[in-house]
Amino acid sequence: MYEKIQETASWLKERMTTKPETAIILGTGLGQLATEITDSYEFSYSDIPNFPVSTVEGHSGKLIFGKLGGKDIMAMQGRFHYYEGYSMKDVTFPIRVMYELGIKTLFVSNASGGMNPEFKIGDLMIITDHINFFPEHPLRGKNFPTGPRFPDMHETYDHALIKEADQIAEENGIRVMHGVYVGVQGPTFETPAEYKMYHRLGGDAVGMSTVPEVIVAHHCGIRTFGISIITDLGLEDNPVEVSHEEVQVAANNAQPLMTEIMREMIRRA
């Protein structure tokens, strides 16, 4: 696997005309942030050696390079999910490649179901911590040389980046919430009993991504900032039915606010 990662990174380096130190992963329905990237050039996942290919609606499947907030960045327009049948090594393969390309900071976004009664649909939740409910750990197996066998997880989501995001949100009058993200396998949305359990265990939002990528980024020493768009609610007293299409619509509506925060954070870096 390590040889494949290096092969993929070498293929990209030969074709890159920029040197980004920041990467963004765009979750379900959040791909339009890519239109904000200027001076861009891109590669389809299907053209990149060893790269998985996204199969989910709302995930375009492109690796985009260019500028955002005046800085060189790279963005994944579409991610890979464990529920698609990929192994955790496949799901986190792009993060390993990012490390080889010199990425120092990773922004992750997702659409998630809110369990905190203070949340509203369309809210932005800055992720302060996570609970890992995936059945396979992304660091299972032989340890990669990018980090220790037993990485500490006390500050998985960078406190300084969270503080900066809060400041930018306040300056621009954007409502942001803080919370713990629960990462689950999917692909089913949660039952009312599951929503209740995850909330009582300490979760504020639940989704089917992000946690594996963040763990591997942390193992590589990459600073991480995560943000969830609350696209549906699974409150204990008022569970509601949800569809993938509704999630995409809610995510699209909240995109401009998330983009504004991320763009300014990158500009100030």
Side-chain angles (χ1 to χ4, degrees):
M1 177 63 80
Y2 194 52
E3 290 74 19
K4 287 185 176 181
I5 291 165
Q6 292 177 314
E7 178 187 348
T8 302
S10 295
W11 187 91
L12 287 167
K13 284 177 182 177
E14 290 172 2
R15 292 159 177 79
M16 289 166 59
T17 57
T18 51
K19 293 185 177 180
E21 293 188 352
T22 300
I24 304 172
I25 299 176
L26 301 171
T28 300
L30 302 175
Q32 287 190 17
L33 184 147
T35 62
E36 301 279 332
I37 300 172
T38 61
D39 305 315
S40 64
Y41 58 100
E42 61 188 41
F43 304 100
S44 173
Y45 291 166
S46 59
D47 294 333
I48 303 172
N50 308 315
F51 231 70
V53 178
S54 181
T55 65
V56 181
E57 186 180 349
H59 292 256
S60 294
K62 298 177 189 174
L63 204 56
I64 303 171
F65 295 83
K67 291 187 180 294
L68 186 67
K71 302 287 179 64
D72 286 348
I73 63 108
M74 66 180 290
M76 284 182 67
Q77 191 175 20
R79 56 153 53 95
F80 312 112
H81 302 81
Y82 189 69
Y83 64 73
E84 294 176 76
Y86 294 117
S87 71
M88 278 298 179
K89 292 290 189 292
D90 291 329
V91 169
T92 59
F93 184 87
I95 311 301
R96 298 290 186 189
V97 173
M98 288 175 186
Y99 172 79
E100 297 294 329
L101 296 179
I103 294 300
K104 302 286 194 299
T105 304
L106 175 66
F107 291 79
V108 291
S109 64
N110 61 58
S112 62
M115 301 175 291
N116 188 319
E118 295 182 10
F119 288 0
K120 299 185 297 187
I121 289 178
D123 271 346
L124 302 180
M125 185 193 86
I126 294 172
I127 303 175
T128 57
D129 205 346
H130 71 231
I131 300 173
N132 182 12
F133 266 97
F134 283 92
E136 180 187 348
H137 199 282
L139 300 183
R140 179 177 178 269
K142 184 179 179 181
N143 188 45
F144 278 76
T146 57
R149 171 76 281 187
F150 304 105
D152 178 83
M153 301 295 286
H154 274 87
E155 192 179 336
T156 312
Y157 299 86
D158 191 275
H159 292 176
L161 293 176
I162 291 172
K163 183 177 180 180
E164 187 171 58
D166 283 336
Q167 183 176 339
I168 291 167
E170 184 177 358
E171 290 170 2
N172 290 276
I174 299 172
R175 170 184 162 98
V176 291
M177 312 300 283
H178 283 198
V180 175
Y181 178 86
V182 180
V184 298
Q185 172 176 287
T188 53
F189 290 112
E190 289 66 40
T191 67
E194 287 169 339
Y195 274 127
K196 183 184 295 185
M197 177 187 71
Y198 294 141
H199 184 228
R200 293 188 178 188
L201 287 174
D204 296 290
V206 60
M208 306 169 194
S209 66
T210 300
V211 170
E213 298 143 315
V214 168
I215 288 173
V216 168
H218 193 69
H219 185 256
C220 291
I222 297 173
R223 300 173 71 203
T224 306
F225 174 80
I227 193 164
S228 296
I229 293 182
I230 305 302
T231 52
D232 58 281
L233 295 173
L235 307 180
E236 288 192 25
D237 298 328
N238 187 31
V240 295
E241 293 185 15
V242 63
S243 70
H244 185 68
E245 291 71 26
E246 289 170 326
V247 166
Q248 287 182 280
V249 169
N252 273 319
N253 291 339
Q255 276 194 90
L257 301 178
M258 182 193 75
T259 301
E260 189 169 348
I261 292 173
M262 285 191 175
R263 185 199 304 115
E264 185 61 18
M265 289 177 73
I266 292 168
R267 189 188 72 79
R268 296 183 186 185

Coordinates of all heavy atoms in Angstrom, one line a residue, residues 223-257:
R223 N -2.7 19.1 10.7 CA -3.7 19.8 11.5 C -5.0 19.7 10.8 O -5.2 19.8 9.6 CB -3.3 21.3 11.6 CG -2.0 21.6 12.3 CD -1.7 23.1 12.2 NE -2.5 23.9 13.1 CZ -2.8 25.2 12.9 NH1 -2.3 25.8 11.8 NH2 -3.5 25.9 13.8
T224 N -6.1 19.5 11.7 CA -7.4 19.2 11.1 C -8.4 20.2 11.7 O -8.5 20.4 12.9 CB -7.8 17.8 11.4 OG1 -6.8 16.9 10.9 CG2 -9.1 17.4 10.7
F225 N -9.3 20.7 10.8 CA -10.5 21.4 11.1 C -11.7 20.8 10.5 O -11.7 20.5 9.3 CB -10.4 22.9 10.7 CG -11.6 23.7 10.9 CD1 -11.9 24.2 12.2 CD2 -12.5 23.9 9.9 CE1 -13.1 25.0 12.4 CE2 -13.7 24.7 10.0 CZ -13.9 25.2 11.3
G226 N -12.7 20.5 11.2 CA -13.9 19.9 10.7 C -15.2 20.7 10.9 O -15.4 21.3 12.0
I227 N -16.1 20.6 9.9 CA -17.3 21.4 10.1 C -18.5 20.5 9.4 O -18.3 19.9 8.4 CB -17.3 22.7 9.4 CG1 -18.4 23.6 9.8 CG2 -17.1 22.6 7.9 CD1 -18.2 25.1 9.4
S228 N -19.6 20.4 10.2 CA -20.7 19.7 9.7 C -21.9 20.6 9.4 O -22.1 21.6 10.2 CB -21.2 18.7 10.8 OG -20.3 17.7 11.1
I229 N -22.5 20.4 8.3 CA -23.8 21.1 8.0 C -24.9 20.2 8.5 O -25.0 19.1 8.1 CB -23.9 21.5 6.6 CG1 -22.9 22.5 6.2 CG2 -25.3 22.0 6.3 CD1 -22.9 23.0 4.7
I230 N -25.7 20.7 9.4 CA -26.9 20.0 9.9 C -28.0 20.0 8.9 O -28.7 21.0 8.7 CB -27.3 20.5 11.3 CG1 -26.2 20.7 12.3 CG2 -28.5 19.7 11.9 CD1 -25.5 19.4 12.6
T231 N -28.1 18.8 8.3 CA -29.1 18.7 7.1 C -30.4 18.1 7.5 O -31.4 18.1 6.7 CB -28.5 17.9 6.0 OG1 -28.0 16.7 6.5 CG2 -27.3 18.7 5.4
D232 N -30.4 17.4 8.7 CA -31.7 16.8 9.2 C -31.6 16.7 10.7 O -30.5 16.8 11.2 CB -31.9 15.5 8.5 CG -30.8 14.5 8.8 OD1 -29.8 14.6 8.1 OD2 -31.0 13.6 9.7
L233 N -32.7 16.5 11.3 CA -32.7 16.4 12.8 C -33.2 15.0 13.3 O -34.2 14.6 12.7 CB -33.5 17.5 13.4 CG -33.0 18.9 13.2 CD1 -34.0 19.9 13.7 CD2 -31.7 19.2 13.9
G234 N -32.6 14.4 14.3 CA -33.0 13.2 14.9 C -33.2 13.4 16.4 O -32.5 12.8 17.1
L235 N -34.0 14.3 16.7 CA -34.2 14.6 18.2 C -35.0 13.5 18.9 O -35.9 12.9 18.3 CB -34.9 16.0 18.3 CG -34.2 17.1 17.6 CD1 -35.0 18.4 17.8 CD2 -32.8 17.3 18.0
E236 N -34.7 13.3 20.1 CA -35.3 12.2 20.9 C -36.8 12.3 20.9 O -37.5 11.3 20.8 CB -34.8 12.2 22.3 CG -33.4 11.7 22.5 CD -33.0 11.5 23.9 OE1 -33.9 11.2 24.7 OE2 -31.8 11.5 24.3
D237 N -37.3 13.5 21.0 CA -38.8 13.7 21.1 C -39.5 13.9 19.8 O -40.7 14.0 19.7 CB -39.1 14.9 22.1 CG -38.6 14.7 23.5 OD1 -38.5 13.5 23.9 OD2 -38.2 15.7 24.1
N238 N -38.7 14.1 18.7 CA -39.3 14.4 17.4 C -38.4 13.9 16.3 O -38.0 14.6 15.5 CB -39.4 16.0 17.3 CG -40.2 16.4 16.1 OD1 -41.1 15.6 15.6 ND2 -39.8 17.5 15.5
P239 N -38.3 12.6 16.2 CA -37.6 12.0 15.0 C -38.3 12.2 13.7 O -39.6 12.1 13.7 CB -37.4 10.5 15.4 CG -38.6 10.3 16.3 CD -38.8 11.5 17.1
V240 N -37.6 12.5 12.6 CA -38.2 12.7 11.4 C -37.6 11.9 10.3 O -36.5 11.5 10.4 CB -38.1 14.2 10.9 CG1 -38.9 15.1 11.9 CG2 -36.7 14.7 10.9
E241 N -38.4 11.5 9.3 CA -37.9 10.8 8.2 C -37.0 11.7 7.3 O -37.2 12.9 7.3 CB -39.0 10.3 7.3 CG -39.9 9.2 8.0 CD -40.9 8.6 7.0 OE1 -40.8 8.8 5.8 OE2 -41.9 8.0 7.5
V242 N -36.0 11.1 6.6 CA -35.0 11.9 5.9 C -34.7 11.1 4.6 O -34.6 9.9 4.6 CB -33.8 12.2 6.7 CG1 -33.1 10.9 7.1 CG2 -32.9 13.1 6.0
S243 N -34.4 11.8 3.5 CA -33.9 11.2 2.3 C -32.6 11.8 1.9 O -32.3 13.0 2.3 CB -34.9 11.4 1.2 OG -35.0 12.8 0.8
H244 N -31.9 11.1 1.1 CA -30.6 11.6 0.6 C -30.7 13.0 -0.2 O -29.9 13.9 -0.1 CB -29.9 10.6 -0.3 CG -28.5 11.0 -0.7 ND1 -27.4 11.0 0.2 CD2 -28.0 11.3 -1.9 CE1 -26.3 11.4 -0.5 NE2 -26.7 11.5 -1.8
E245 N -31.9 13.1 -0.9 CA -32.1 14.2 -1.7 C -32.3 15.5 -0.8 O -31.9 16.6 -1.1 CB -33.3 14.0 -2.6 CG -33.1 13.0 -3.8 CD -33.0 11.6 -3.3 OE1 -33.6 11.3 -2.2 OE2 -32.4 10.8 -4.0
E246 N -33.1 15.3 0.3 CA -33.3 16.4 1.2 C -32.0 16.8 1.9 O -31.8 18.0 2.1 CB -34.3 15.9 2.3 CG -35.7 15.7 1.8 CD -36.6 15.1 2.8 OE1 -36.1 14.2 3.6 OE2 -37.8 15.4 2.9
V247 N -31.1 15.9 2.2 CA -29.8 16.2 2.8 C -29.0 17.1 1.8 O -28.4 18.1 2.2 CB -29.0 14.9 3.1 CG1 -27.6 15.2 3.4 CG2 -29.7 14.2 4.3
Q248 N -29.0 16.7 0.5 CA -28.3 17.5 -0.5 C -28.8 18.9 -0.6 O -28.0 19.9 -0.7 CB -28.4 16.8 -1.8 CG -27.5 15.5 -2.0 CD -27.6 14.9 -3.3 OE1 -28.6 14.3 -3.7 NE2 -26.6 15.2 -4.2
V249 N -30.1 19.1 -0.6 CA -30.7 20.4 -0.7 C -30.3 21.3 0.5 O -29.9 22.4 0.4 CB -32.3 20.3 -0.7 CG1 -32.9 21.7 -0.6 CG2 -32.7 19.7 -2.1
A250 N -30.4 20.7 1.7 CA -30.1 21.5 2.9 C -28.6 21.8 2.9 O -28.2 22.9 3.3 CB -30.4 20.7 4.2
A251 N -27.7 20.9 2.5 CA -26.3 21.2 2.4 C -26.0 22.3 1.4 O -25.2 23.2 1.7 CB -25.6 19.9 2.0
N252 N -26.7 22.3 0.2 CA -26.5 23.3 -0.8 C -26.8 24.7 -0.2 O -26.2 25.7 -0.5 CB -27.3 23.0 -2.0 CG -26.6 22.1 -3.0 OD1 -25.4 22.2 -3.2 ND2 -27.3 21.1 -3.6
N253 N -27.9 24.7 0.5 CA -28.4 26.0 1.0 C -27.4 26.6 2.0 O -27.3 27.9 2.2 CB -29.8 25.9 1.7 CG -30.9 25.6 0.6 OD1 -30.7 25.8 -0.5 ND2 -32.0 25.0 1.1
A254 N -26.7 25.8 2.8 CA -25.8 26.3 3.8 C -24.4 26.5 3.3 O -23.5 27.0 4.0 CB -25.8 25.3 5.0
Q255 N -24.1 26.0 2.1 CA -22.8 26.1 1.5 C -22.1 27.5 1.6 O -20.9 27.6 2.0 CB -22.7 25.6 0.1 CG -22.6 24.1 0.0 CD -22.3 23.7 -1.4 OE1 -21.1 23.6 -1.8 NE2 -23.3 23.5 -2.3
P256 N -22.8 28.5 1.2 CA -22.1 29.9 1.2 C -21.5 30.3 2.5 O -20.4 30.9 2.6 CB -23.2 30.8 0.7 CG -24.2 30.0 0.0 CD -24.2 28.6 0.7
L257 N -22.2 29.9 3.6 CA -21.7 30.3 4.9 C -20.4 29.5 5.3 O -19.5 30.1 5.8 CB -22.8 30.1 6.0 CG -24.1 30.9 5.8 CD1 -25.1 30.5 6.9 CD2 -23.8 32.4 5.8

